Amino acid sequence: MNPNLLTLESDPLTRGWSITEREFREEVIYFLIVDRFYDALSDEEERQGVWDRGSKQGLYDKTWTQWGKYWGGNLQGIIEKIPYLKQLGITAVWLSPLFEQVDDMQYDRAPMHGYWTKDFKRINPRFLPTNEPNSLNSSPTLRQLVDSLHANDIKLILDVVCNHSSPDLNGSKGVVFDDGKLLCDFNDDVHGFYHHNAEITDWEDEFQLINGEMCGLATFNERNPGYRKYIKSAIIDWLDVGVDALRIDTIKHMPIWFWQEFTADMKAHKPELFMFGEYGFGKPWEQRTVDYANQSGMSILDFGLCDAIRFAFSGQEPGGFHLVESVLAYDHVYHRANELVTFIDNHDMPRFLSICDSQQALDQALILLFCLRGVPCVFYGTEQYLVNQTDGGGDPYNRPMMETWDLTCSCFTLLEKLITTRRGNQALTFGSHRQLYVSENIYAFLRSYRDSFAICVLNNGPQTSLTLDLPGSLHTKSLCCALTNQEFFDVDGQLHLNVPSSGAFLLSSTGERVAGTLVVTFQLNGLETSPGQSVVLLGDCFELGNWDLNQAYGMEYVNLNTWICEVAFDESVGRQIQFKFVVISEYSQPRYEGILPRRFLLAESGRQKFDALWSNR
């Protein structure tokens, strides 16, 4: 049995069968704009006198000065730079959309970004060698890309656009094909594939958000079953090619019921699929953001934490590191806060160096990003301090061409250390967060999981002395900084640190990992616990105590409503188990879930993942 495939939870009083996805909390994502990453074909094609690879000439700028045009990055360029990504430690590459685009200009811009799709079942020919077939199963370059990434243990994340196709380009709008066959046309929409409403003017109005046009883009009518059948079949075709995960564009502009159907069908086809959506600029104190994160069937990009980190260093809003803590204080509203995809910049905002012109500040922001909960995502070129400050560095100047590949760049080597430390220490991927000290300029916190822990200390101000009180369970003789190799000593439960200006320490202590024939990660959400309470797994197998509460398997606290554990299965592999979550306390009777036991089919070996919500029913 493939341990990455179907795993089942049956709850007779809830929703029946469900499927679990690939473990992504330990991944590191690298987001790149294909057109701006690397052109591996230019020399050969220059000799042939061909550079504009599309059907229409004039959309390509070889000089890299016309920012709205194609600059030549392609899939072969990504293939050639896989060793570079592997050296950095990247485990998943998120590519800007690869779909075939409308080959035209709107004013001074071509769809080099990939969000004006013409055919969801074909590849943008501008990313392929000249005259190579661009159907999914006919492109040797796409096949080579997938195989080369997987051979280097790097997952492929496809950027998916379900909300819209293309704007008005010289009288043509929303013309979409189904693998070369005309499917729909906004201006002759006989089958009702599109909404036909005005542009959004009130971004707080629910009807406008779902049904209105964004920036003049032809907006699909999600109620049309023909559209839903087409878009799902298209993305399934990409999954069959070897795509491992999906990033979903503009999810706030389509209703939750659509995403529930979409994610269910995607995961039914590929059960291990991880998905995360762009709920643009959403915050955890906004209920609609939380609803999409918890009810859509996918994780989301963490814009709230992104803003807090940026403001903490730029000073554009007061509060410094208190802003970061204030966002983390809302983690309990999410069902899976530790699977939010975290970042400090992307293609829709000025790069970090544009709002905070300090390489030291960028280094500190990256340290913070990799030490906090969530799945960190690095925007291409960050590791080379890539930036263009024209007009404040906003779109399109946040998308310069990648030109430097220096393996000795200080930011590159810093990220190497951070990725190695994060992937080696489960406290940074699974663990709880505990503030040790916070001020506007100084931030110290503890991440812990089982017998692993990490202490991160950042100083965004002048040199300072700092004393940290450590929990009794963490007392140890010495700790080594993963960034500086300095050794620090625990004196009677205290760490005395002299933190230089713009300095940082990452003290990492790695415990023993859970090991067995099969290891299953269980996570429970939706249960608010109090100090003195703990949660255990109790079930009908040896590993979960055989219904003996005294032998139940203990879980680890993550936040106010999240508990997690890894269980090694040897005796029970390959069988269906039954179990419940139980709250125990020294001062009260055990509290069992008020449902019939959950059921879960264990694989024969490998790793599995099980997410659940506490139920009193």
Side-chain angles (χ1 to χ4, degrees):
M1 179 185 296
N2 185 338
N4 285 326
L5 291 184
L6 189 63
T7 58
L8 304 173
E9 172 195 355
S10 178
D11 184 342
L13 299 181
T14 54
R15 290 176 295 277
W17 297 109
S18 65
I19 52 181
T20 63
E21 64 208 18
R22 184 189 300 273
E23 178 60 74
F24 236 76
R25 282 172 288 225
E26 296 187 292
E27 305 295 352
V28 177
I29 301 173
Y30 188 91
F31 171 35
L32 63 87
I33 306 295
V34 177
D35 179 66
R36 300 296 161 92
F37 192 60
Y38 184 60
D39 184 352
L41 305 173
S42 57
D43 291 343
E44 175 186 349
E45 293 187 337
E46 186 171 353
R47 288 191 294 270
Q48 298 173 358
V50 178
W51 305 291
D52 223 337
R53 303 182 188 105
S55 61
K56 184 174 182 178
Q57 300 296 295
L59 276 66
Y60 171 72
D61 173 33
K62 182 183 177 182
T63 67
W64 299 350
T65 58
Q66 299 179 64
W67 286 79
K69 292 187 176 182
Y70 286 95
W71 284 2
N74 46 61
L75 299 191
Q76 188 62 44
I78 299 170
I79 293 169
E80 292 192 12
K81 293 301 180 183
I82 288 176
Y84 170 87
L85 298 173
K86 181 75 170 180
Q87 172 81 30
L88 184 58
I90 296 303
T91 65
V93 175
W94 159 16
L95 305 182
S96 58
L98 301 180
F99 311 116
E100 182 176 11
Q101 300 291 292
V102 177
D103 214 36
D104 206 344
M105 299 271 292
Q106 187 184 59
Y107 307 115
D108 62 346
R109 294 201 177 192
M112 48 72 55
H113 43 69
Y115 297 101
W116 297 350
T117 303
K118 173 184 177 181
D119 196 326
F120 286 87
K121 294 185 178 181
R122 292 193 173 182
I123 310 164
N124 190 340
R126 293 181 178 272
F127 297 158
L128 300 173
T130 305
N131 298 324
E132 178 172 302
N134 70 329
S135 291
L136 295 187
N137 294 315
S138 302
S139 167
T141 304
L142 178 61
R143 183 71 267 156
Q144 184 184 2
L145 173 66
V146 173
D147 291 345
S148 298
L149 287 171
H150 289 169
N152 285 275
D153 297 320
I154 299 175
K155 299 172 182 62
L156 174 59
I157 304 174
L158 179 69
D159 199 325
V160 175
V161 190
C162 296
N163 172 250
H164 58 263
S165 57
S166 57
D168 190 313
L169 301 172
N170 300 313
S172 177
K173 179 176 179 177
V175 177
V176 174
F177 292 79
D178 182 350
D179 198 16
K181 181 180 178 181
L182 180 63
L183 178 74
C184 58
D185 181 339
F186 181 88
N187 293 325
D188 186 23
D189 192 16
V190 294
H191 298 296
F193 268 66
Y194 289 105
H195 292 298
H196 293 266
N197 297 304
E199 286 198 29
I200 301 170
T201 56
D202 181 356
W203 294 81
E204 302 300 320
D205 182 274
E206 181 75 11
F207 179 85
Q208 290 191 43
L209 277 181
I210 299 297
N211 301 285
E213 284 194 355
M214 182 178 60
C215 304
L217 294 161
T219 302
F220 285 118
N221 174 14
E222 68 281 348
R223 294 189 296 273
N224 185 312
Y227 158 72
R228 299 204 305 276
K229 179 180 178 181
Y230 166 71
I231 196 66
K232 288 186 287 187
S233 67
I235 305 309
I236 284 173
D237 285 350
W238 285 88
L239 296 180
D240 288 344
V241 170
V243 166
D244 301 288
L246 301 177
R247 179 268 185 185
I248 317 292
D249 189 62
T250 56
I251 66 168
K252 69 192 294 181
H253 296 289
M254 302 185 80
I256 287 179
W257 69 259
F258 170 80
W259 295 120
Q260 291 170 336
E261 177 184 316
F262 182 83
T263 57
D265 283 357
M266 294 302 105
K267 292 180 181 181
H269 186 78
K270 192 165 190 171
E272 71 272 29
L273 184 68
F274 179 73
M275 304 170 66
F276 62 100
E278 179 210 31
Y279 190 103
F281 305 98
K283 306 297 190 296
W285 48 86
E286 298 168 351
Q287 188 58 47
R288 194 173 187 270
T289 301
V290 176
D291 288 344
Y292 273 73
N294 290 345
Q295 300 174 24
S296 65
M298 69 182 90
S299 184
I300 64 171
L301 286 154
D302 193 349
F303 280 89
L305 186 60
C306 172
D307 284 350
I309 295 174
R310 287 163 70 90
F311 292 148
F313 288 98
S314 70
Q316 291 177 336
E317 286 194 9
F321 288 124
H322 289 291
L323 298 172
V324 177
E325 274 291 318
S326 67
V327 171
L328 297 176
Y330 280 89
D331 274 2
H332 65 281
V333 305
Y334 293 114
H335 288 167
R336 300 189 299 176
N338 55 14
E339 287 187 324
L340 298 173
V341 176
T342 58
F343 59 104
I344 59 173
D345 54 14
N346 67 16
H347 59 316
D348 288 327
M349 62 181 68
R351 286 177 175 262
F352 185 91
L353 286 174
S354 291
I355 56 107
C356 187
D357 189 12
S358 165
Q359 293 184 355
Q360 288 179 314
L362 175 59
D363 289 349
Q364 283 200 323
L366 288 170
I367 294 168
L368 185 56
L369 180 71
F370 275 79
C371 289
L372 293 176
R373 56 86 180 127
V375 184
C377 177
V378 177
F379 194 28
Y380 80 101
T382 298
E383 75 282 4
Q384 301 291 339
Y385 297 122
L386 179 66
V387 69
N388 186 289
Q389 301 286 28
T390 305
D391 288 344
D395 180 12
Y397 305 106
N398 54 359
R399 309 170 187 180
M401 197 73 184
M402 183 86 168
E403 297 184 73
T404 305
W405 313 89
D406 183 4
L407 303 184
T408 66
C409 175
S410 61
C411 193
F412 186 98
T413 58
L414 170 65
L415 275 172
E416 278 186 296
K417 293 177 183 178
L418 289 172
I419 294 172
T420 299
T421 303
R422 185 180 187 278
R423 288 182 58 77
N425 189 336
Q426 288 183 299
L428 295 173
T429 53
F430 287 178
S432 62
H433 173 97
R434 176 173 175 175
Q435 171 196 311
L436 299 177
Y437 185 90
V438 64
S439 68
E440 284 203 15
N441 295 322
I442 301 173
Y443 193 21
F445 57 90
L446 167 71
R447 302 288 309 284
S448 58
Y449 173 74
R450 290 173 51 85
D451 55 349
S452 297
F453 66 92
I455 298 171
C456 180
V457 182
L458 298 166
N459 180 13
N460 191 31
Q463 178 173 315
T464 188
S465 296
L466 185 66
T467 297
L468 300 178
D469 293 318
L470 299 182
S473 61
L474 300 185
H475 291 184
T476 182
K477 291 182 179 180
S478 66
L479 288 167
C480 185
C481 178
L483 306 178
T484 65
N485 292 323
Q486 291 176 259
E487 192 171 14
F488 297 88
F489 295 92
D490 171 9
V491 180
D492 296 327
Q494 291 186 324
L495 278 178
H496 301 281
L497 306 174
N498 185 23
V499 193
S501 176
S502 300
F505 298 127
L506 174 53
L507 312 180
S508 174
S509 178
T510 301
E512 187 175 348
R513 285 181 176 249
V514 174
T517 306
L518 170 70
V519 176
V520 181
T521 303
F522 293 87
Q523 181 161 298
L524 174 68
N525 291 98
L527 170 69
E528 186 168 336
T529 52
S530 303
Q533 293 181 324
S534 59
V535 181
V536 298
L537 268 174
L538 181 64
D540 68 345
C541 58
F542 168 77
E543 294 85 352
L544 301 184
N546 281 320
W547 296 122
D548 181 352
L549 191 58
N550 294 320
Q551 302 298 319
Y553 197 95
M555 302 189 75
E556 298 284 322
Y557 174 88
V558 177
N559 63 44
L560 285 176
N561 83 339
T562 304
W563 290 77
I564 194 171
C565 69
E566 295 171 288
V567 182
F569 290 92
D570 293 300
E571 181 178 300
S572 307
V573 296
R575 57 161 283 200
Q576 182 175 264
I577 61 171
Q578 299 186 86
F579 65 94
K580 282 189 176 187
F581 298 97
V582 184
V583 179
I584 59 175
S585 171
E586 182 180 351
Y587 307 105
S588 60
Q589 293 295 314
R591 180 153 60 104
Y592 293 75
E593 286 189 284
I595 57 173
L596 291 173
R598 300 173 185 270
R599 288 188 287 171
F600 186 72
L601 180 63
L602 297 176
E604 299 286 350
S605 62
R607 293 191 68 94
Q608 287 179 298
K609 177 172 176 280
F610 185 97
D611 289 308
L613 292 177
W614 173 268
S615 178
N616 283 316
R617 292 189 299 164

